[in-house]
Amino acid sequence: MSDTPDSAVRTYIRHHRTAFLDDLAEWLRIPSVSAQPEHDKDVRRSAEWLSAALKETGFPVTEIWETPGAPAVFAEWPSDDPDAPVVLVYGHHDVQPAAREDGWHSDPFEPEVRDGRMYGRGAADDKGQVFFHTLGVRAHLAATGRTAPAVHLKLLVEGEEESGSPHFRELVEQRADRLAADAVIVSDTGMWDEDTPTVCTGMRGLAECEIELHGPAQDIHSGSFGGAVPNPATALARLVAELHDADGRVAVPGFYDGVAELTDTERALFAQLPFDEERWLRTAASQATAGEAGYSTLERLWARPTAEAASAAATRARAARPSSPRPRW
Ligand SMILES: [Zn+2]
């Protein structure tokens, strides 16, 4: 009895699992930390490693695309069906800084498998996701007997995502013709859990601004001046407080313009997920949830934009500590 395509894919992956993980571990050993100039050479080595691995996988086109910063990798594998849709997969090969002192149980750049999971910087963000496509496409070909993928496949893997993608826009604009696609898949997301197939259909973007408030040029006495000159702390508190209304809705005019409302089907699908809010709260080290009235926690997280305030001093202190993650909100 012949395998169904699905089980043939699984069989292929099972048989190639060890070799795949060995190769991934090799890539993870390259500390491609884009935010630290001393790792510039490693980021380049990471791009070269990936380009070679994609060539080995069978991609007929693999290129390293230079930017004023770190290089990106582009690969293309045309389908043998000229009418097949063009699918562009996005990912990144750079990683956040990491050091043992941050709480790692093993060297972040010497991957280790514990309890069936591989621990190493980039394993889950984003080298693991990117590299899995090499196994996926090979499994697809093996399971279907094809010599080229059913879709026209393109891969763009940048090297500056963890530094805020300073040259990515420019790169995409310059290479728009090569990147043209019917669909773009962002392969830089997570999975719900090991047994729930996950398709991420939307992500929140990020726009930030810094507000500087100027008040008296020296520390002044409340008895002599209080109540008669503006107090920057009061002004700042008012500004932050006015970001949201009493229902937790963002009160900035125009803030929700163009925001797609959840459909009933989407809400029902979110609600079906086995979400353990207590457990999730523990990961936030928070005692309570909060947010826009009328939305569940997952809806707030996944489908509603948010406006957050952070002190610039705290943000700078975090940015200055080389091994700390970039603040995301
Ligand atoms: Zn990522």
Side-chain angles (χ1 to χ4, degrees):
M1 209 173 85
S2 69
D3 278 350
T4 64
D6 181 55
S7 68
V9 164
R10 285 169 194 276
T11 303
Y12 185 92
I13 288 174
R14 205 167 44 245
H15 286 159
H16 293 82
R17 180 191 162 91
T18 308
F20 171 80
L21 290 175
D22 287 348
D23 287 344
L24 175 60
E26 193 178 297
W27 195 19
L28 295 177
R29 284 189 196 102
I30 303 174
S32 49
V33 182
S34 60
Q36 296 175 334
E38 64 266 34
H39 285 296
D40 283 357
K41 278 204 182 88
D42 296 317
V43 181
R44 178 162 298 278
R45 206 150 55 85
S46 161
E48 284 162 0
W49 188 97
L50 174 62
S51 174
L54 292 170
K55 182 163 270 167
E56 172 117 9
T57 299
F59 279 84
V61 178
T62 58
E63 295 171 14
I64 290 186
W65 285 0
E66 297 297 336
T67 77
V73 176
F74 174 77
E76 191 170 359
W77 197 337
S79 173
D80 44 16
D81 171 4
D83 296 326
V86 182
V87 177
L88 170 65
V89 177
Y90 163 87
H92 61 91
H93 66 89
D94 60 324
V95 297
Q96 284 272 333
R100 280 296 281 266
E101 308 85 86
D102 297 339
W104 287 75
H105 295 298
S106 53
D107 183 340
F109 296 106
E110 188 48 61
E112 195 177 281
V113 177
R114 296 194 298 271
D115 300 329
R117 288 174 182 233
M118 184 177 274
Y119 291 84
R121 181 55 105 206
D125 184 12
D126 183 32
K127 287 174 173 169
Q129 288 95 320
V130 167
F131 199 52
F132 202 79
H133 291 286
T134 64
L135 185 57
V137 72
R138 283 189 290 132
H140 161 62
L141 298 181
T144 57
R146 287 172 167 273
T147 52
V151 298
H152 189 111
L153 192 59
K154 295 180 180 181
L155 213 63
L156 176 62
V157 185
E158 70 159 317
E160 297 187 313
E161 198 273 347
E162 301 291 10
S163 309
S165 303
H167 305 104
F168 192 61
R169 186 192 180 117
E170 201 181 311
L171 184 73
V172 170
E173 282 170 358
Q174 280 170 0
R175 308 279 188 159
D177 53 332
R178 304 286 306 279
L179 296 170
D182 298 299
V184 177
I185 294 176
V186 175
S187 195
D188 187 19
T189 55
M191 281 175 71
W192 179 258
D193 61 31
E194 284 167 29
D195 302 316
T196 311
T198 306
V199 177
C200 180
T201 58
M203 287 195 289
R204 299 193 283 196
L206 174 67
E208 56 188 0
C209 67
E210 187 170 328
I211 295 169
E212 241 175 73
L213 270 180
H214 297 271
Q218 62 184 41
D219 197 9
I220 52 176
H221 193 279
S222 58
S224 311
F225 300 101
V229 295
N231 181 333
T234 311
L236 187 62
R238 181 169 295 134
L239 205 73
V240 173
E242 285 178 355
L243 274 179
H244 300 89
D245 68 15
D247 286 328
R249 210 176 144 76
V250 179
V252 178
F255 188 80
Y256 293 97
D257 288 357
V259 173
E261 286 296 328
L262 278 167
T263 64
D264 290 344
T265 311
E266 285 170 327
R267 297 193 92 158
L269 286 169
F270 281 23
Q272 272 173 34
L273 285 166
F275 178 51
D276 184 342
E277 195 160 276
E278 294 284 315
R279 205 172 130 189
W280 172 80
L281 264 179
R282 280 200 295 278
T283 67
S286 173
Q287 306 279 325
T289 60
E292 192 180 354
Y295 293 94
S296 70
T297 296
L298 288 184
E299 289 169 354
R300 287 169 179 167
L301 285 174
W302 292 351
R304 303 300 295 165
T306 175
E308 303 296 331
S311 99
T315 308
R316 277 197 213 101
R318 239 177 324 200
R321 261 183 46 218
S323 58
S324 63
R326 174 164 54 96
R328 289 171 185 265
W329 56 81

